Structure formats: C-alpha cells, structure tokens
Amino acid sequence: MNPEHIVLTEAYYYILLSLFKPLHGYGIMKKIAKLSDGRVMLAAGTLYGALSKLEQNQWIKALPVNNFDCKKQYLITPKGKEIVINELKRLEELVNNGQQIIEEN
C-alpha cells in the first residue's frame, strides 16, 4: 500500500508520535494523555493491540529488553516516520481547506 494513501486512526497517530523516543506501554499511555490534554485516553488492551499491529506493519519495533529494566520498549521505524509525516501533511491539507472555505463565507 502506498504510504501516501494511508489514513491513520487517532490512536495510531498518537502512538507513532509518542515513539520518536523509546517508551514502554505505560509511558506511551501517559504521553498520549499529555499530548492530547487528556482527551485521548487509551486502555491497555487497545494500546497493546495497536502496538502489535504497528509492529506487524513494521511501523514500530520492539527494543531488546535489558537486565535492569524488564519493560518492553518500542521505537518508531523510518517507515513509521514516513507514515506519520504523510498523515500530518494530510491533516494540514484538511485544516487549510476548511479555513479557506470558512474565510470565503
């Protein structure tokens, strides 16, 4: 599938944004809540299902677990970055088109 034609769900978008630096599941949930001012609150089941799918798509990768921190951490891949950048462009186009129409009327 062409990365330019992928439309992300809000959950996927925020998960990908949160993984520009390595994070574990709970850290991802906290970061998304902070980014969205508490508007987007992902339940653990939703988050881990999404992480699994994003990993299958190779948009994120699980990092090796070290002996000091047993928590599994994830990081966005270059493919994932391309997807989220394309989504940001798509969203900017939506906002710009909406503003243009509203300002004309």
Side-chain angles (χ1 to χ4, degrees):
M1 179 178 265
N2 185 341
E4 293 180 7
H5 296 119
I6 294 172
V7 176
L8 297 177
T9 65
E10 191 171 32
Y12 280 16
Y13 180 72
Y14 273 115
I15 292 168
L16 290 171
L17 281 180
S18 71
L19 291 176
F20 272 72
K21 292 185 180 177
L23 275 178
H24 54 78
Y26 183 67
I28 295 168
M29 289 190 293
K30 285 177 48 177
K31 181 139 190 182
I32 291 171
K34 184 178 178 182
L35 283 171
S36 68
D37 272 341
R39 188 180 58 76
V40 178
M41 304 291 289
L42 296 181
T46 302
L47 174 65
Y48 288 104
L51 289 172
S52 176
K53 184 68 173 170
L54 291 170
E55 200 171 4
Q56 285 175 3
N57 290 344
Q58 298 179 336
W59 297 356
I60 66 170
K61 65 180 178 180
L63 300 177
V65 177
N66 63 44
N67 294 334
F68 303 106
D69 186 5
C70 296
K71 296 175 183 167
K72 189 174 189 178
Q73 293 193 343
Y74 300 88
L75 184 65
I76 193 168
T77 64
K79 185 177 179 180
K81 286 180 182 179
E82 181 183 5
I83 298 296
V84 81
I85 288 167
N86 285 334
E87 179 67 359
L88 183 57
K89 289 176 187 175
R90 186 188 75 79
L91 294 171
E92 286 173 338
E93 180 184 333
L94 289 174
V95 169
N96 290 336
N97 290 339
Q99 286 176 333
Q100 181 181 357
I101 296 296
I102 290 170
E103 289 170 2
E104 289 175 357
N105 293 299

